[in-house]
Amino acid sequence: MTPTRSINSHRMTLLGLSLVAVLGALSGCASTTIDVTGQALQAPLCGRASAASASASVAVLWGPLWRPDQKEPPLREAAALKGLQQFFATQRCLTDVAIQRIAIPAQGELLSDAALLDMAKTLTPHANKVILIVVRELGPKLRIGLPTLVEGGTEVVVDVRVVDAQRQTREATVQTHWQKGGPFYVKGVKSLDQDMQAALASVFVAPFATSHPP
């Protein structure tokens, strides 16, 4: 009996290794889709006009609004903040970026533009723009079943509002659902900050994009 169990165990190990190899080979079959609803920006955050400004500054007010059954909120919040910091650090037209976490009410519209402008004054009194970012979803997803045996990826859902601080006018109010995934594409939580950056880029760098190739 012992030799039989040993042989079966060896076969199961080989089968497991083969499955890992197959999944690894197919893990590159992923595509990115971006669904945007609402009033988008009319130009990238650092378009030609913005890049010409030598003193462009923004106040970024952000916070999470997770679903009730969200797993590991602190981990996702840390990844969201890291992604925010990294994204705005790469925007060369901005000489001053202040990022502050705020409490987000269940209905984001309860935060009026005037309230956002008042909050921003405590961070950077001379901000050109005030940006509200509400993070609703940030994490991996995995589905097992038909029609695809394994389908996974990551997704980011953010609400973004942009207010011109000098004119006190709203420039954008959008909800963006960013997804990257496909058959046999399994991701963990290590790249969530990068996914957050990519979702923000779809709002501020290419606001009119709806989809991208893998």
Side-chain angles (χ1 to χ4, degrees), residues 18-39:
S18 298
L19 180 59
V20 169
V22 170
L23 292 176
L26 295 175
S27 62
C29 301
S31 61
T32 301
T33 59
I34 305 167
D35 296 319
V36 179
T37 58
Q39 176 191 351

PDB file of all heavy atoms in Angstrom, residues 18-39:
ATOM      1  N   SER A  18       2.146  20.825 -13.494  1.00  0.00           N
ATOM      2  CA  SER A  18       1.722  21.046 -14.877  1.00  0.00           C
ATOM      3  C   SER A  18       0.659  22.123 -14.948  1.00  0.00           C
ATOM      4  O   SER A  18       0.666  22.968 -15.835  1.00  0.00           O
ATOM      5  CB  SER A  18       1.179  19.739 -15.480  1.00  0.00           C
ATOM      6  OG  SER A  18       2.182  18.751 -15.501  1.00  0.00           O
ATOM      7  N   LEU A  19      -0.303  22.100 -13.985  1.00  0.00           N
ATOM      8  CA  LEU A  19      -1.357  23.104 -13.971  1.00  0.00           C
ATOM      9  C   LEU A  19      -0.793  24.488 -13.722  1.00  0.00           C
ATOM     10  O   LEU A  19      -1.194  25.461 -14.365  1.00  0.00           O
ATOM     11  CB  LEU A  19      -2.383  22.758 -12.890  1.00  0.00           C
ATOM     12  CG  LEU A  19      -3.580  23.724 -12.749  1.00  0.00           C
ATOM     13  CD1 LEU A  19      -4.331  23.795 -14.068  1.00  0.00           C
ATOM     14  CD2 LEU A  19      -4.498  23.275 -11.624  1.00  0.00           C
ATOM     15  N   VAL A  20       0.166  24.596 -12.798  1.00  0.00           N
ATOM     16  CA  VAL A  20       0.818  25.878 -12.530  1.00  0.00           C
ATOM     17  C   VAL A  20       1.517  26.390 -13.775  1.00  0.00           C
ATOM     18  O   VAL A  20       1.473  27.577 -14.103  1.00  0.00           O
ATOM     19  CB  VAL A  20       1.817  25.746 -11.365  1.00  0.00           C
ATOM     20  CG1 VAL A  20       2.690  27.001 -11.255  1.00  0.00           C
ATOM     21  CG2 VAL A  20       1.083  25.497 -10.058  1.00  0.00           C
ATOM     22  N   ALA A  21       2.177  25.470 -14.512  1.00  0.00           N
ATOM     23  CA  ALA A  21       2.880  25.867 -15.735  1.00  0.00           C
ATOM     24  C   ALA A  21       1.910  26.386 -16.784  1.00  0.00           C
ATOM     25  O   ALA A  21       2.174  27.376 -17.465  1.00  0.00           O
ATOM     26  CB  ALA A  21       3.667  24.671 -16.286  1.00  0.00           C
ATOM     27  N   VAL A  22       0.762  25.705 -16.902  1.00  0.00           N
ATOM     28  CA  VAL A  22      -0.234  26.141 -17.879  1.00  0.00           C
ATOM     29  C   VAL A  22      -0.786  27.510 -17.510  1.00  0.00           C
ATOM     30  O   VAL A  22      -0.906  28.406 -18.345  1.00  0.00           O
ATOM     31  CB  VAL A  22      -1.381  25.110 -17.970  1.00  0.00           C
ATOM     32  CG1 VAL A  22      -2.531  25.671 -18.806  1.00  0.00           C
ATOM     33  CG2 VAL A  22      -0.870  23.816 -18.580  1.00  0.00           C
ATOM     34  N   LEU A  23      -1.120  27.696 -16.234  1.00  0.00           N
ATOM     35  CA  LEU A  23      -1.644  28.979 -15.796  1.00  0.00           C
ATOM     36  C   LEU A  23      -0.631  30.086 -15.991  1.00  0.00           C
ATOM     37  O   LEU A  23      -0.965  31.204 -16.389  1.00  0.00           O
ATOM     38  CB  LEU A  23      -2.058  28.906 -14.322  1.00  0.00           C
ATOM     39  CG  LEU A  23      -3.266  28.032 -14.004  1.00  0.00           C
ATOM     40  CD1 LEU A  23      -3.487  27.972 -12.501  1.00  0.00           C
ATOM     41  CD2 LEU A  23      -4.511  28.559 -14.694  1.00  0.00           C
ATOM     42  N   GLY A  24       0.633  29.748 -15.720  1.00  0.00           N
ATOM     43  CA  GLY A  24       1.688  30.740 -15.908  1.00  0.00           C
ATOM     44  C   GLY A  24       1.830  31.130 -17.364  1.00  0.00           C
ATOM     45  O   GLY A  24       2.049  32.292 -17.704  1.00  0.00           O
ATOM     46  N   ALA A  25       1.687  30.147 -18.258  1.00  0.00           N
ATOM     47  CA  ALA A  25       1.827  30.423 -19.687  1.00  0.00           C
ATOM     48  C   ALA A  25       0.681  31.270 -20.205  1.00  0.00           C
ATOM     49  O   ALA A  25       0.835  32.075 -21.117  1.00  0.00           O
ATOM     50  CB  ALA A  25       1.886  29.101 -20.466  1.00  0.00           C
ATOM     51  N   LEU A  26      -0.510  31.113 -19.602  1.00  0.00           N
ATOM     52  CA  LEU A  26      -1.673  31.832 -20.078  1.00  0.00           C
ATOM     53  C   LEU A  26      -1.940  33.124 -19.321  1.00  0.00           C
ATOM     54  O   LEU A  26      -2.837  33.867 -19.661  1.00  0.00           O
ATOM     55  CB  LEU A  26      -2.919  30.936 -19.950  1.00  0.00           C
ATOM     56  CG  LEU A  26      -2.930  29.682 -20.833  1.00  0.00           C
ATOM     57  CD1 LEU A  26      -4.165  28.854 -20.502  1.00  0.00           C
ATOM     58  CD2 LEU A  26      -2.912  30.040 -22.310  1.00  0.00           C
ATOM     59  N   SER A  27      -1.129  33.407 -18.279  1.00  0.00           N
ATOM     60  CA  SER A  27      -1.412  34.541 -17.432  1.00  0.00           C
ATOM     61  C   SER A  27      -1.266  35.870 -18.154  1.00  0.00           C
ATOM     62  O   SER A  27      -1.739  36.886 -17.677  1.00  0.00           O
ATOM     63  CB  SER A  27      -0.492  34.525 -16.199  1.00  0.00           C
ATOM     64  OG  SER A  27       0.865  34.628 -16.603  1.00  0.00           O
ATOM     65  N   GLY A  28      -0.607  35.885 -19.309  1.00  0.00           N
ATOM     66  CA  GLY A  28      -0.442  37.127 -20.037  1.00  0.00           C
ATOM     67  C   GLY A  28      -1.644  37.492 -20.876  1.00  0.00           C
ATOM     68  O   GLY A  28      -1.669  38.547 -21.501  1.00  0.00           O
ATOM     69  N   CYS A  29      -2.655  36.627 -20.946  1.00  0.00           N
ATOM     70  CA  CYS A  29      -3.835  36.885 -21.769  1.00  0.00           C
ATOM     71  C   CYS A  29      -4.790  37.800 -21.013  1.00  0.00           C
ATOM     72  O   CYS A  29      -5.825  37.356 -20.514  1.00  0.00           O
ATOM     73  CB  CYS A  29      -4.523  35.569 -22.120  1.00  0.00           C
ATOM     74  SG  CYS A  29      -3.466  34.424 -23.025  1.00  0.00           S
ATOM     75  N   ALA A  30      -4.422  39.067 -20.903  1.00  0.00           N
ATOM     76  CA  ALA A  30      -5.237  40.008 -20.153  1.00  0.00           C
ATOM     77  C   ALA A  30      -5.481  41.254 -20.977  1.00  0.00           C
ATOM     78  O   ALA A  30      -4.685  41.617 -21.836  1.00  0.00           O
ATOM     79  CB  ALA A  30      -4.545  40.379 -18.839  1.00  0.00           C
ATOM     80  N   SER A  31      -6.598  41.901 -20.721  1.00  0.00           N
ATOM     81  CA  SER A  31      -6.919  43.155 -21.389  1.00  0.00           C
ATOM     82  C   SER A  31      -7.400  44.150 -20.350  1.00  0.00           C
ATOM     83  O   SER A  31      -7.851  43.774 -19.272  1.00  0.00           O
ATOM     84  CB  SER A  31      -7.985  42.944 -22.466  1.00  0.00           C
ATOM     85  OG  SER A  31      -9.179  42.458 -21.886  1.00  0.00           O
ATOM     86  N   THR A  32      -7.294  45.415 -20.688  1.00  0.00           N
ATOM     87  CA  THR A  32      -7.711  46.485 -19.788  1.00  0.00           C
ATOM     88  C   THR A  32      -8.938  47.178 -20.369  1.00  0.00           C
ATOM     89  O   THR A  32      -8.940  47.539 -21.543  1.00  0.00           O
ATOM     90  CB  THR A  32      -6.583  47.515 -19.602  1.00  0.00           C
ATOM     91  OG1 THR A  32      -5.433  46.869 -19.063  1.00  0.00           O
ATOM     92  CG2 THR A  32      -7.028  48.626 -18.652  1.00  0.00           C
ATOM     93  N   THR A  33      -9.958  47.337 -19.552  1.00  0.00           N
ATOM     94  CA  THR A  33     -11.149  48.073 -19.969  1.00  0.00           C
ATOM     95  C   THR A  33     -11.411  49.184 -18.958  1.00  0.00           C
ATOM     96  O   THR A  33     -11.185  49.024 -17.757  1.00  0.00           O
ATOM     97  CB  THR A  33     -12.386  47.160 -20.062  1.00  0.00           C
ATOM     98  OG1 THR A  33     -12.624  46.567 -18.779  1.00  0.00           O
ATOM     99  CG2 THR A  33     -12.176  46.070 -21.091  1.00  0.00           C
ATOM    100  N   ILE A  34     -11.889  50.303 -19.466  1.00  0.00           N
ATOM    101  CA  ILE A  34     -12.154  51.462 -18.620  1.00  0.00           C
ATOM    102  C   ILE A  34     -13.537  52.005 -18.966  1.00  0.00           C
ATOM    103  O   ILE A  34     -13.762  52.419 -20.101  1.00  0.00           O
ATOM    104  CB  ILE A  34     -11.095  52.562 -18.827  1.00  0.00           C
ATOM    105  CG1 ILE A  34      -9.690  51.995 -18.612  1.00  0.00           C
ATOM    106  CG2 ILE A  34     -11.345  53.727 -17.875  1.00  0.00           C
ATOM    107  CD1 ILE A  34      -8.598  52.913 -19.089  1.00  0.00           C
ATOM    108  N   ASP A  35     -14.437  51.987 -18.010  1.00  0.00           N
ATOM    109  CA  ASP A  35     -15.782  52.532 -18.192  1.00  0.00           C
ATOM    110  C   ASP A  35     -15.886  53.826 -17.395  1.00  0.00           C
ATOM    111  O   ASP A  35     -15.660  53.839 -16.181  1.00  0.00           O
ATOM    112  CB  ASP A  35     -16.838  51.535 -17.723  1.00  0.00           C
ATOM    113  CG  ASP A  35     -16.835  50.260 -18.554  1.00  0.00           C
ATOM    114  OD1 ASP A  35     -16.689  50.378 -19.781  1.00  0.00           O
ATOM    115  OD2 ASP A  35     -16.966  49.172 -17.973  1.00  0.00           O
ATOM    116  N   VAL A  36     -16.228  54.895 -18.082  1.00  0.00           N
ATOM    117  CA  VAL A  36     -16.319  56.211 -17.456  1.00  0.00           C
ATOM    118  C   VAL A  36     -17.721  56.766 -17.641  1.00  0.00           C
ATOM    119  O   VAL A  36     -18.246  56.776 -18.751  1.00  0.00           O
ATOM    120  CB  VAL A  36     -15.289  57.187 -18.066  1.00  0.00           C
ATOM    121  CG1 VAL A  36     -15.402  58.555 -17.415  1.00  0.00           C
ATOM    122  CG2 VAL A  36     -13.875  56.648 -17.918  1.00  0.00           C
ATOM    123  N   THR A  37     -18.322  57.225 -16.557  1.00  0.00           N
ATOM    124  CA  THR A  37     -19.625  57.871 -16.628  1.00  0.00           C
ATOM    125  C   THR A  37     -19.536  59.235 -15.947  1.00  0.00           C
ATOM    126  O   THR A  37     -18.760  59.432 -15.017  1.00  0.00           O
ATOM    127  CB  THR A  37     -20.704  57.028 -15.932  1.00  0.00           C
ATOM    128  OG1 THR A  37     -20.336  56.814 -14.565  1.00  0.00           O
ATOM    129  CG2 THR A  37     -20.868  55.685 -16.621  1.00  0.00           C
ATOM    130  N   GLY A  38     -20.339  60.156 -16.438  1.00  0.00           N
ATOM    131  CA  GLY A  38     -20.346  61.483 -15.843  1.00  0.00           C
ATOM    132  C   GLY A  38     -19.669  62.513 -16.731  1.00  0.00           C
ATOM    133  O   GLY A  38     -19.433  62.284 -17.918  1.00  0.00           O
ATOM    134  N   GLN A  39     -19.341  63.640 -16.146  1.00  0.00           N
ATOM    135  CA  GLN A  39     -18.699  64.745 -16.849  1.00  0.00           C
ATOM    136  C   GLN A  39     -17.189  64.617 -16.716  1.00  0.00           C
ATOM    137  O   GLN A  39     -16.625  64.863 -15.654  1.00  0.00           O
ATOM    138  CB  GLN A  39     -19.151  66.092 -16.278  1.00  0.00           C
ATOM    139  CG  GLN A  39     -18.460  67.304 -16.883  1.00  0.00           C
ATOM    140  CD  GLN A  39     -18.732  68.586 -16.115  1.00  0.00           C
ATOM    141  OE1 GLN A  39     -19.578  68.602 -15.217  1.00  0.00           O
ATOM    142  NE2 GLN A  39     -18.020  69.641 -16.441  1.00  0.00           N
TER     143      GLN A  39
END
